[in-house]
Structure formats: C-alpha cells, structure tokens
Amino acid sequence: MSHPLDRAVWNAFTSRQAQVALRDGDALRVDPDFGLFVATADHAPETLAALSRLVHAHPGEVGIVERFDPPPIPGTEVTRRAVLNQMVAQTLAAPRPVDFEITPLTDADGPDMLALATLTAPGPFFSRTHQLGEFVGVKVDGQLVAMAGERLRPEGFTEVSGVCAHPDHRGKGYAARLMLHVAHKIAARGETPFLHSYDHNAGAIALYEALGFRFRCEQVLTVLAADHQTPLS
C-alpha cells in the first residue's frame, strides 16, 4: 500500500478537508478560493475527462502534486513543472525562546495574510487559504510582518505552509520560530508535521533540517491551465 503522503492532496481532500473540494466523479478540484490543487482517484480515461471538466469550469491554473508526472489531461496544457522535496518531522527541535509575541490569526486577518503572501510568494495563497488550518503570526505596530500555518491535512499528518516574513522584517527569526510553533502544535495533536520545498532551495531546506524535518521523497508539481483550443469531449 502506498504511503498517505504519496498522494497527500487526494488523501486530504477526500477525508478531513473534503468540504472544500469540488467533485466530478473520481476527480476533484479544491475550491479556487482555497487553493489550486486537483487530484484523481486513478488515471482511467473517464476520470481524466472529469478532471478536464473541473479545470475548464473555473478560471485560473491548477496544480497536481504527486510522486510522478501525471498522464496528459485532455483539454489542458502544462504551464510549468517543478520538483519538490517532501520532508517530515518525526523529532522536532526544542521550542526556542522569543522576545516577540506569537499571535493566533483569524478571519479578520485574512486580507493582511493574503497581502503578505502576495508580497513574499511563499507558495500559492488565495483569499481563503488561511481557513485550511490554524495560522499564527507576528505583528509590529499592528502590521502583520510574518506568519506560518497549516494547509494539507491527510489523516494523521498536517502540512506546515504559508511560512513568510515581510522583507523589511527578515533576519529576526520570525519565520523559523513561527514554523516551529506550528509544527509543535501539530505534533501535540498526535499528528506528523510535513512540508514541501522546491528541491533547489538549499537555504530553506537547511533551515527545515535544523528544525527537525527530514527528506522523505521527491514530489512533482505539475501546473495546468485550460487549453481552450481543444474542445472537450
């Protein structure tokens, strides 16, 4: 049997996060307000056709994250591809003392979270991405300057994501300490924290290793867009 994290998107959005998934048969697309992920139960022609319909039904790109490249999806085109390192934390570094307040973030902080993510590009972040899990942040004079939170939540695991700091407030340890805070809360629930990083981001990977994360496997991110030149069957 495959590991739950081999197909983390499918396993998350057919279980604990199914309420934000749009389904067409054995294909799903996350509500575009929450994210860009898509996944399928299998690669049967009818399943791939269903995924194509979901891509065409809503504007914007979608992303597949799995161990291997997907087969061609009819009516779509690949706009980019990247290799990710999937990392898990069985033993986290001890929490570090801080001289700043770690603040739980709520829906009221949503616009500021989206603005910070848009500025710093920690990964795909949309108007309701922050509702996929718990988020915490650091505020300076009322301004949100750093944050970290949760995204994919397959059974037994939760992904640490959305980790970023405003360019004017980097070098203060905000992102690393928030990330560790989130990961410890996940572990306290009896779940295993995990994350994804671009395989070429050596600096980020070194930080994650220092916090207790270890490489598990490579994952392939395939970003697709609707090909409107190709009619759907």
Side-chain angles (χ1 to χ4, degrees):
M1 294 181 66
S2 64
H3 191 283
L5 295 185
D6 286 350
R7 309 190 70 234
V9 173
W10 176 261
N11 290 327
F13 293 105
T14 55
S15 60
R16 294 199 290 166
Q17 295 172 295
Q19 70 277 7
V20 300
L22 310 176
R23 293 291 297 266
D24 183 335
D26 286 330
L28 68 82
R29 173 177 182 158
V30 176
D31 184 314
D33 288 341
F34 289 85
L36 54 65
F37 294 118
V38 296
T40 60
D42 53 50
H43 293 157
E46 60 271 22
T47 304
L48 299 182
L51 178 56
S52 181
R53 289 193 294 271
L54 287 172
V55 174
H56 280 258
H58 305 274
E61 294 179 324
V62 300
I64 299 172
V65 178
E66 294 202 359
R67 290 291 304 272
F68 306 104
D69 289 282
I73 312 299
T76 72
E77 57 182 349
V78 176
T79 59
R80 60 185 183 277
R81 176 189 184 275
V83 177
L84 309 176
N85 281 7
Q86 187 183 83
M87 305 177 73
V88 298
Q90 300 293 345
T91 303
L92 287 163
R96 303 170 183 176
V98 296
D99 57 0
F100 51 86
E101 181 180 0
I102 295 177
T103 303
L105 301 177
T106 69
D107 273 349
D109 299 297
D112 291 338
M113 299 168 73
L114 180 59
L116 181 60
T118 300
L119 175 67
T120 59
F125 203 95
F126 301 87
S127 61
R128 299 182 69 183
T129 299
H130 65 279
Q131 295 178 358
L132 291 174
E134 297 182 18
F135 272 78
V136 293
V138 175
K139 296 182 180 181
V140 175
D141 297 328
Q143 178 190 4
L144 181 66
V145 300
M147 69 177 183
E150 304 170 351
R151 187 170 58 179
L152 300 179
R153 296 165 56 212
E155 293 288 352
F157 299 85
T158 295
E159 181 189 26
V160 180
S161 185
V163 181
C164 56
H166 192 285
D168 294 341
H169 295 270
R170 289 177 179 161
K172 301 177 182 178
Y174 291 158
R177 186 60 186 86
L178 290 175
M179 186 176 174
L180 196 58
H181 178 89
V182 171
H184 272 286
K185 289 195 69 175
I186 294 168
R189 299 198 301 258
E191 302 171 10
T192 301
F194 74 104
L195 58 81
H196 293 98
S197 174
Y198 290 111
D199 69 336
H200 57 76
N201 196 341
I205 291 171
L207 169 62
Y208 304 152
E209 290 176 339
L211 298 180
F213 288 84
R214 296 293 180 266
F215 176 82
R216 180 186 167 267
C217 70
E218 286 188 350
Q219 297 264 306
V220 178
L221 166 64
T222 306
V223 179
L224 303 171
D227 179 2
H228 296 288
Q229 304 300 315
T230 303
L232 296 181
S233 58

